[in-house]
Amino acid sequence: MMKKNTGLAIITGASQGIGSAIATGLANDGYRVVLIARNKQNLDKVYDEIMKLEDHVPEPVVLPLDITDYTTVDNEIRNINRQYGAIDILVNAAALFMDGSLNEPVDHFRKIIETNVVAQYAILKTVTGIMKTQKSGYIFNIASRAAKYGFPDGGIYGSTKFAFVGLTESLYRELAPLGIRVTSLCPGWVNTEMAKKAGTPLKDEEMIQPDDLLNTIRYLLNLSENVCIKEIILEMRKSII
Ligand SMILES: NC(=O)c1ccc[n+]([C@@H]2O[C@H](COP(=O)([O-])OP(=O)(O)OC[C@H]3O[C@@H](n4cnc5c(N)ncnc54)[C@H](OP(=O)(O)O)[C@@H]3O)[C@@H](O)[C@H]2O)c1
């Protein structure tokens, strides 16, 4: 039986980790998902996984893009909007991690700001423009626990996430009256490649799982449209700070 098409969801960082879990889950819920990341091979794997889901789901759209290529991202999202109509959900999960506070050359800091802040700004500019015309939409910005607490030796990554949450909080207030809801999700360690590369001290099973983010989004989507939630902080039971 074909699933009821519940709309269109764009997910950045959809090639692995949190983004791929959210994309697969939303596809399973009946959304046509638009998968954005740089690595086409990994995006194709997520596409194949979705196409293998038990019930028929709307065919995903694979968009291999670097989100720092703002003009292309803007054009592609506008094409998607023309082809498939309303954008119901945007999940911004793409980001880079970088260790340390002042140890990197300035240009490395600029690179992470470019991905974690400027590219998010650009995609939000395009998508909120479309959502304002629709007078509807839900935006989930995957920030981090590091957006709420300045970890020692975490100033580079943390500052990009503080900025992202700051932008999100303003949009939360600006867009709610226009029918668009925006929520920051701020998880601690999540069991993905990023946590491993960043040297998490936790075992896989002690971390937040990518599906916890998916289920948080499902919970928010199930609330009535009268409810706005600015942010959700997810911590690990084993190491609450
Ligand atoms: N894992 C954690 O412990 C943790 C904790 C808190 C918050 N977060 C946040 O959760 C989000 C997802 O992280 P994750 O753990 O799933 O990390 P991940 O496994 O490293 O995945 C990051 C994703 O971002 C994409 N990406 C990076 N730069 C990109 C670019 N320039 N253009 C397009 N896509 C790009 C990557 O795909 P390509 O390489 O294919 O482009 C990948 O799909 C991030 O915002 C991260 O900061 C993670």
Side-chain angles (χ1 to χ4, degrees):
M1 194 178 61
M2 185 73 173
K3 286 218 177 200
K4 185 173 158 277
N5 187 346
T6 48
L8 185 86
I10 297 178
I11 300 105
T12 72
S15 60
Q16 61 185 62
I18 295 170
S20 77
I22 292 170
T24 309
L26 290 180
N28 200 26
D29 296 344
Y31 286 90
R32 184 187 300 282
V33 289
V34 179
L35 310 170
I36 296 179
R38 292 164 301 182
N39 188 318
K40 180 162 186 321
Q41 249 186 340
N42 287 348
L43 286 176
D44 285 342
K45 278 190 207 150
V46 179
Y47 171 96
D48 289 343
E49 223 173 280
I50 290 172
M51 293 304 281
K52 274 192 264 166
L53 289 171
E54 226 166 79
D55 293 335
H56 293 289
V57 297
E59 187 180 5
V61 180
V62 171
L63 279 187
L65 291 173
D66 184 329
I67 56 165
T68 63
D69 180 359
Y70 318 125
T71 313
T72 310
V73 172
D74 181 75
N75 285 336
E76 292 288 348
I77 289 177
R78 285 179 197 289
N79 282 341
I80 291 286
N81 181 226
R82 269 189 292 273
Q83 194 172 345
Y84 298 103
I87 299 172
D88 300 285
I89 294 175
L90 169 67
V91 181
N92 283 311
L96 295 178
F97 176 83
M98 213 175 273
D99 220 358
S101 292
L102 291 173
N103 49 311
E104 292 287 332
V106 173
D107 278 349
H108 292 191
F109 184 58
R110 213 189 297 279
K111 182 167 185 262
I112 189 167
I113 289 268
E114 191 72 18
T115 305
N116 293 10
V117 186
V118 186
Q120 314 297 335
Y121 173 87
I123 197 165
L124 285 164
K125 208 166 149 55
T126 301
V127 172
T128 57
I130 294 167
M131 286 182 173
K132 279 180 189 171
T133 319
Q134 299 169 183
K135 300 187 175 60
S136 67
Y138 206 140
I139 297 169
F140 300 96
N141 285 337
I142 315 291
S144 174
R145 185 75 183 92
K148 309 302 297 179
Y149 181 95
F151 289 93
D153 214 28
I156 296 176
Y157 177 73
S159 61
T160 68
K161 294 296 186 174
F162 266 78
F164 193 27
V165 163
L167 175 61
T168 308
E169 187 162 332
S170 290
L171 295 178
Y172 168 79
R173 299 208 164 87
E174 280 170 39
L175 298 176
L178 307 179
I180 303 157
R181 289 177 293 162
V182 186
T183 303
S184 290
L185 302 184
C186 301
W189 290 115
V190 186
N191 184 13
T192 71
E193 282 304 305
M194 184 181 280
K196 289 188 181 78
K197 277 189 201 146
T200 178
L202 298 180
K203 295 183 195 135
D204 287 2
E205 63 275 17
E206 292 172 337
M207 284 187 261
I208 296 161
Q209 301 302 314
D211 274 355
D212 291 322
L213 278 302
L214 163 67
N215 288 327
T216 305
I217 288 179
R218 283 177 167 154
Y219 151 74
L220 291 165
L221 288 171
N222 273 321
L223 299 174
S224 88
E225 285 180 14
N226 300 327
V227 182
C228 288
I229 295 187
K230 187 177 64 147
E231 65 188 17
I232 294 188
I233 299 173
L234 298 91
E235 296 194 287
M236 296 77 61
R237 187 171 52 80
K238 291 243 168 173
S239 58
I240 292 184
I241 46 163

